[in-house]
Amino acid sequence: QVQLVESGGDLVQAGGSLRLSCAASGSIFSAGPMGWYRQAPGKQREMVATITSGGSTNYVDSVKGRFTISRDNAKNTVYLRMNSLKPEDTAVYYCNAYDRYTLRAYWGQGTQVTVSS
């Protein structure tokens, strides 16, 4: 069974940077898209960034130019580099990975990112 292990969530001041990492601890037979989602209290969970196995990326408008998603296909690992953080970025961030062979999506446990003003 695949488990996604996340790290990097922290408390940071506005304008600071963080890098989130998420790695699959089990085998993914055919790695598809990977991505990061976030949810703040009282708000709907939203897609932050996604990246295909070929490296094509997509970002929510509010983070475009500040966040960068990348991946290491050999390690089934996805990263989210977060620069110029704002208080509105405060949320629980969830990692997602999709296996195209099993048609199964996996989610991380969520990691808290808190940006103080």
Side-chain angles (χ1 to χ4, degrees):
Q1 179 89 359
V2 172
Q3 295 280 329
L4 300 184
V5 181
E6 301 177 323
S7 62
D10 209 346
L11 170 65
V12 65
Q13 292 185 338
S17 298
L18 289 173
R19 189 182 79 157
L20 306 183
S21 300
C22 174
S25 62
S27 296
I28 293 182
F29 294 102
S30 182
M34 303 183 78
W36 291 94
Y37 298 71
R38 67 185 181 187
Q39 187 169 23
K43 297 183 64 178
Q44 196 168 248
R45 185 176 298 188
E46 67 174 346
M47 181 195 74
V48 178
T50 59
I51 183 168
T52 68
S53 60
S56 180
T57 60
N58 189 34
Y59 299 91
V60 67
D61 287 343
S62 61
V63 309
K64 191 171 294 184
R66 299 188 297 120
F67 292 8
T68 303
I69 189 171
S70 61
R71 67 188 291 165
D72 183 336
N73 288 333
K75 298 182 178 181
N76 290 323
T77 300
V78 63
Y79 307 93
L80 186 68
R81 180 65 178 178
M82 310 164 69
N83 294 326
S84 302
L85 282 162
K86 304 175 180 180
E88 66 180 348
D89 296 318
T90 296
V92 178
Y93 284 70
Y94 298 90
C95 174
N96 174 267
Y98 183 71
D99 190 330
R100 292 189 180 276
Y101 183 80
T102 65
L103 305 181
R104 182 170 177 85
Y106 299 94
W107 290 90
Q109 78 283 0
T111 184
Q112 178 70 49
V113 172
T114 302
V115 184
S116 62
S117 60

